[in-house]
Amino acid sequence: MELKHYKDFFTVPATYRANMTREAINDTPETWMDFYPHATYIELLNTLFDESKSLWITGNFGTGKSNAALVTQKLFMDDAVRVEAWLEDKRDVIVNCDSLKRRLFEARQKGTLVIYDYNASGIAPHEEFLVRLEKGVLAALE
């Protein structure tokens, strides 16, 4: 049996950025659409729909937390045509894609607000975190 490598499943675009930022994901309207929705990410989305609460994405450096958070924001806030195109393109890897699509667009219709914060040094409600949270809410509302 021949061993498979990452290159057998993914190609790295020439524009790849090791650290996804709000500025980088907005380079073009389609930048976020290359994101691969692995099972853990779909579980994250379902948690949002099932519990209707805020959530924290934690993990080691370089595991895609920032990208996942930014893509989540795009799924809720970006143009519906792009969101539908992304879901259709990823249909073969998203379990229950039609259900996920229905739940996502129901949440969008309700006006779910997605606020993104990064580089948090903890979850304690200290002043710096609250200021960043307030700025994130204001930016999302604008």
Side-chain angles (χ1 to χ4, degrees):
M1 180 172 119
E2 183 180 338
L3 292 177
K4 296 268 187 188
H5 302 280
Y6 282 112
K7 67 180 176 147
D8 296 321
F9 300 97
F10 298 99
T11 57
V12 179
T15 58
Y16 173 77
R17 296 171 194 235
N19 183 21
M20 185 55 72
T21 64
R22 186 176 21 219
E23 295 76 25
I25 206 164
N26 289 319
D27 268 353
T28 70
E30 294 81 17
T31 299
W32 70 269
M33 296 176 71
D34 289 335
F35 182 79
Y36 180 84
H38 50 74
T40 304
Y41 181 72
I42 299 304
E43 185 179 323
L44 175 144
L45 288 178
N46 283 317
T47 298
L48 279 175
F49 299 135
D50 292 339
E51 298 180 19
S52 192
K53 297 179 181 177
S54 60
L55 62 89
W56 292 88
I57 301 173
T58 62
N60 293 330
F61 178 79
T63 56
K65 299 174 301 297
S66 295
N67 203 2
L70 287 163
V71 167
T72 302
Q73 186 178 42
K74 291 295 186 185
L75 288 174
F76 279 88
M77 316 286 290
D78 201 359
D79 182 74
V81 173
R82 271 193 296 278
V83 173
E84 287 192 38
W86 182 81
L87 288 165
E88 193 57 38
D89 184 54
K90 309 301 187 220
R91 176 172 290 283
D92 59 333
V93 295
I94 299 175
V95 176
N96 298 321
C97 186
D98 290 329
S99 173
L100 180 74
K101 178 180 176 179
R102 179 185 50 78
R103 295 173 82 191
L104 173 63
F105 279 93
E106 285 173 1
R108 286 173 57 110
Q109 186 70 21
K110 289 179 187 175
T112 301
L113 180 65
V114 179
I115 300 162
Y116 169 76
D117 182 42
Y118 65 96
N119 289 337
S121 58
I123 60 172
H126 53 76
E127 191 173 301
E128 181 183 315
F129 172 72
L130 293 176
V131 169
R132 284 197 329 269
L133 182 61
E134 182 179 270
K135 285 180 180 178
V137 170
L138 290 173
L141 288 172
E142 288 175 359

